[in-house]
Amino acid sequence: MSKIEISAQSGKDFTGDALIVPVFSGRERHRLPLAISKVARLAMDEGDFKAEYLEMVPLHHPNGVKGCRWILLAGLGDEEKVTLNKIRKAVGAAVRFCMKKGWKSIGLLSPATSNMEPSQVQTAALEGTLLADYDFSAFRSKPEATRLERIELFTNNDDNRKLRRRQAITEIGVAANHLVRDLVNTPAADMYPESFAAKAKALAAENKIAVEVLVPEELEKDGFRALLAVGRGSAHPPRVVKLDYTPSEKAKKHIVLVGKGVCFDSGGLSLKNATDMETMKDDMAGAAVALAATIACAKAGVPVKVTAICGLVENMPGCSAYKPGDILRSRSGKTIEVLNTDAEGRLVLADLLHWASEMGADHIIDLATLTGACLVALGDGVSGVFGTDQKLVERILDAGAIVGEHIWNLPLVEEYRELLKSSVADIKNITGSRGGGAITAALFLKEFVGASSWAHVDLSSVWTTTEKDYRTAGGTGEGPRWLLELIAGQ
Ligand code: BES
Ligand code: ZN
Ligand code: ZN
């Protein structure tokens, strides 16, 4: 059952722990319900609250507002400069503040602006609230932040039909985001190829998605030699999960999502240093995003066939591990000289992309925490996208902008292809230099997609070390929301 109540009231009679009051700087406060406006004006007139974007001031038992213990003024900044994403983030930050205080019963006033369509503004506020309402407490004795029990959204408007229609899809997107955070945050001791596959199977069954799990013998028979090589140094054997969501009506299109699912990336024999290894349980984020997005599409009933293939391996330096100097014959027949076992994601994806290219789909999108270089280039708030089909790339950029997840187009510089030339095989898995690492990795993948309409997303924004607005530290869960937006719009 949803914990959200949508109310046509103004919010002045809210009873509960805290009422979040989003406020624009300047004159807007006068549009608040009178009792609340008085309280806000006091704080603003005395200069303690300027309503700058992300500024927050809690007021305890304010005079004239009886039902709730706290009012939390949340700044939105200049009304002329407001965006849906600023609303998501400012409200998200306010919700995180409440959660850390242990306030569980929350009221939220719709930001009042005539600059945007009200149901869009309200949906953004709701989305920010729900995205923030996350806590990975499975391994803590005491949660760091308490989950909300009840959220009442006050629209001050009798007609909330548009908002209610958007609510369902918003909740589906947020659930997918939280699923990715859970999968990514779970330690590699608990989240390894078999356990990821079991989880995917259970979720597929719940959502009436066809699922198939390929084990090493089957992968061997079908030629996934590059993927199998990466997994050889681990006690946990690889799995490949294939999910198929088929809509009830005739599908308009077929999209294949390909996910890098390296459940732990130690680097293999080309071992990472201790610091670089710290976060490498997140190297299965691509597979998590592909899985969660497919579930979201099924829940939303989008009229598009979606196939997800997740390549699940653990990259470890065990005694059977693949070695620098090895030459792998990939599923496509192309041979790959391995010079660094830490450039393993592209080997897993080489076999998966070749398989995907045989499916006759309209588009292939791969999702992978592929390079540290992309993270260096764009930081942990922006993912990179490359592609052979610029229209598809543009649609991905648009989808990201709509849902407020940053994606930036990087170029497939053809001249760099020669850096991947091997003296003994068709291609090598690293170049001799560090420059353009995200680009050369993408060029490597391109060798395996044939003539498909293909995009590759280097997921630098799936992990963050610091909490900010609705993002919690650790897995950010970014990916499924823009994929749902993209696929639903096909
Ligand atoms: N999983 C890493 C990429 C990565 C590193 C993503 C840090 C996010 C944060 C990938 O398998 C890897 O190790 N790539 C190497 C490639 C290099 C050896 C050519 C890298 O980026 O250093
Ligand atoms: Zn690696
Ligand atoms: Zn990796």
Side-chain angles (χ1 to χ4, degrees):
M1 214 197 65
S2 173
K3 47 174 111 166
I4 305 157
E5 290 163 53
I6 294 173
S7 163
Q9 308 282 306
S10 73
K12 69 175 175 35
D13 300 321
F14 169 73
T15 56
D17 291 322
L19 180 67
I20 297 172
V21 179
V23 188
F24 290 108
S25 54
R27 61 199 157 73
E28 190 277 343
R29 57 200 145 117
H30 304 300
R31 258 183 252 146
L32 298 169
L34 189 63
I36 296 166
S37 161
K38 272 191 188 156
V39 173
R41 196 174 309 156
L42 263 181
M44 290 179 95
D45 288 349
E46 291 180 17
D48 300 303
F49 178 65
K50 297 191 176 65
E52 276 163 15
Y53 173 52
L54 292 178
E55 188 186 356
M56 277 181 279
V57 171
L59 307 168
H60 191 224
H61 281 298
N63 264 346
V65 183
K66 297 202 178 58
C68 63
R69 295 198 297 123
W70 291 88
I71 277 190
L72 181 58
L73 300 175
L76 293 172
D78 187 344
E79 186 177 351
E80 298 309 312
K81 293 191 190 140
V82 74
T83 60
L84 293 176
N85 214 27
K86 276 190 176 171
I87 292 175
R88 278 185 203 104
K89 293 187 171 196
V91 171
V95 167
R96 295 295 303 163
F97 186 98
C98 295
M99 291 171 69
K100 285 181 195 154
K101 292 284 186 198
W103 303 341
K104 296 176 186 166
S105 170
I106 302 294
L108 172 63
L109 295 198
S110 296
T113 173
S114 46
N115 291 357
M116 289 178 288
E117 209 268 311
S119 73
Q120 273 193 322
V121 171
Q122 291 150 4
T123 305
L126 192 62
E127 205 163 18
T129 302
L130 294 176
L131 284 167
D133 182 21
Y134 176 86
D135 186 50
F136 186 67
S137 51
F139 294 83
R140 282 186 200 274
S141 317
K142 259 204 304 201
E144 193 186 40
T146 51
R147 300 287 306 270
L148 304 186
E149 277 169 7
R150 179 172 77 101
I151 306 150
E152 210 171 338
L153 175 62
F154 296 102
T155 64
N156 201 13
N157 188 341
D158 287 332
D159 183 3
N160 289 314
R161 279 173 300 179
K162 272 195 195 164
L163 172 60
R164 286 185 203 281
R165 250 179 275 136
R166 289 172 186 272
Q167 184 187 344
I169 205 87
T170 303
E171 290 191 42
I172 289 170
V174 172
N177 169 290
H178 287 181
L179 171 60
V180 173
R181 288 195 223 185
D182 279 346
L183 293 170
V184 167
N185 287 336
T186 302
D190 300 280
M191 190 54 63
Y192 42 89
E194 303 96 310
S195 62
F196 187 111
K199 178 94 186 158
K201 238 181 163 169
L203 289 168
E206 261 173 48
N207 292 285
K208 302 189 181 62
I209 296 168
V211 60
E212 215 182 319
V213 177
L214 304 178
V215 297
E217 302 75 64
E218 292 162 306
L219 294 168
E220 197 88 56
K221 267 196 210 134
D222 204 5
F224 288 81
R225 288 170 295 265
L227 182 147
L228 286 167
V230 175
R232 268 208 312 263
S234 166
H236 291 295
R239 293 285 186 272
V240 169
V241 175
K242 178 168 180 273
L243 303 148
D244 279 297
Y245 158 67
T246 314
S248 47
E249 53 198 287
K250 192 176 173 329
K252 287 190 190 158
K253 277 196 171 177
H254 181 201
I255 294 190
V256 182
L257 305 177
V258 178
K260 169 177 172 180
V262 176
C263 294
F264 189 74
D265 183 9
S266 70
L269 286 169
S270 312
L271 199 66
K272 286 186 184 293
N273 66 45
T275 316
D276 287 351
M277 217 188 289
E278 278 178 8
T279 58
M280 281 300 130
K281 66 175 181 183
D282 80 349
D283 213 20
M284 34 55 76
V289 169
L291 168 66
T294 307
I295 294 171
C297 287
K299 281 189 182 159
V302 301
V304 176
K305 178 174 163 72
V306 183
T307 300
I309 51 179
C310 304
L312 306 162
V313 298
E314 217 184 44
N315 187 21
M316 296 289 284
C319 55
S320 308
Y322 76 136
K323 306 169 191 76
D326 284 357
I327 299 173
L328 312 174
R329 186 174 296 278
S330 70
R331 189 176 184 278
S332 73
K334 284 191 185 171
T335 56
I336 306 167
E337 180 187 15
V338 176
L339 288 176
N340 189 317
T341 61
D342 196 12
E344 84 299 338
R346 62 196 77 184
L347 303 173
V348 172
L349 290 176
D351 283 349
L352 294 176
L353 285 169
H354 179 251
W355 187 28
S357 74
E358 296 173 342
M359 294 177 185
D362 294 285
H363 307 290
I364 298 174
I365 302 173
D366 79 68
L367 307 143
T369 45
L370 201 65
T371 66
C374 191
L375 188 67
V376 171
L378 301 178
D380 71 11
V382 185
S383 287
V385 62
F386 302 82
T388 52
D389 176 349
Q390 196 56 28
K391 275 203 194 117
L392 176 63
V393 169
E394 299 289 341
R395 270 185 267 149
I396 290 174
L397 297 174
D398 289 347
I402 290 170
V403 305
E405 294 183 0
H406 299 301
I407 307 171
W408 193 256
N409 190 191
L410 296 171
L412 281 169
V413 182
E414 288 301 329
E415 291 92 318
Y416 294 176
R417 170 61 182 83
E418 69 182 47
L419 301 171
L420 292 165
K421 274 192 182 153
S422 161
S423 52
V424 289
D426 297 331
I427 194 167
K428 58 182 180 181
N429 79 330
I430 53 164
T431 64
S433 65
R434 292 181 54 206
I439 299 174
T440 48
L443 285 170
F444 181 97
L445 300 182
K446 183 169 168 273
E447 295 290 314
F448 300 89
V449 296
S452 312
S453 156
W454 161 74
H456 153 61
V457 185
D458 201 330
L459 297 171
S460 19
S461 62
V462 291
W463 182 271
T464 181
T465 44
T466 44
E467 170 170 337
K468 198 172 181 207
D469 48 67
Y470 62 67
R471 281 173 144 216
T472 44
T476 65
E478 290 194 8
R481 288 174 56 247
W482 67 256
L483 277 161
L484 178 60
E485 175 68 35
L486 174 85
I487 296 171
Q490 288 294 304

